[in-house]
Amino acid sequence: MLKPRGLMKMPVCQNCGERWTWNQTFKRMFTLATSMRCPYCEKKQYLTTKSRRRSSFCGFVPPLTLLLPIIFDASSLTTIIILIGTSLLMIGIWPFFIELSNQEEPLW
């Protein structure tokens, strides 16, 4: 059987070893706190530095679609549809970019 490689893995709690589901990860992404609580053991988990850098990339992709009308002479409606589509795509794959740590790591 083939194992998932690269970025397409859901986060695993570094305390209890349980793999989070997409829904659990998605719900915990929208917090202003620097930590997320594990749904299984309730211990604080932090994003790794590598994970925070990869996640920040997702925020840049949808606004780049606003350059489409300039480059390809696309209509405004087409640009809006592509902007909404890429935004939904980035939100959908964002949980796969998350890696967890027991300690908060510095960004740099």
Side-chain angles (χ1 to χ4, degrees):
M1 179 191 300
L2 295 174
K3 291 184 178 181
R5 294 183 352 200
L7 301 175
M8 300 310 286
K9 295 181 199 173
M10 294 308 298
V12 175
C13 175
Q14 298 302 302
N15 187 54
C16 67
E18 292 288 332
R19 186 172 301 274
W20 294 10
T21 65
W22 186 91
N23 283 334
Q24 292 167 336
T25 307
F26 185 78
K27 288 177 186 175
R28 281 161 180 76
M29 284 186 338
F30 297 102
T31 180
L32 296 177
T34 58
S35 65
M36 298 182 274
R37 291 215 176 263
C38 174
Y40 302 102
C41 66
E42 294 296 321
K43 297 290 183 181
K44 285 185 178 180
Q45 294 290 292
Y46 300 91
L47 292 176
T48 63
T49 301
K50 181 180 174 182
S51 177
R52 291 194 307 190
R53 286 183 184 152
R54 278 191 287 187
S55 295
S56 65
F57 168 75
C58 289
F60 286 107
V61 174
L64 289 177
T65 60
L66 296 175
L67 298 175
L68 287 176
I70 298 168
I71 298 170
F72 296 110
D73 196 29
S75 70
S76 297
L77 179 62
T78 304
T79 304
I80 290 170
I81 291 171
I82 292 173
L83 176 63
I84 291 169
T86 55
S87 297
L88 291 174
L89 177 67
M90 289 295 111
I91 289 170
I93 65 171
W94 206 321
F96 294 103
F97 288 116
I98 292 180
E99 291 177 0
L100 301 172
S101 171
N102 284 331
Q103 299 175 343
E104 189 169 12
E105 299 175 359
L107 188 55
W108 304 106

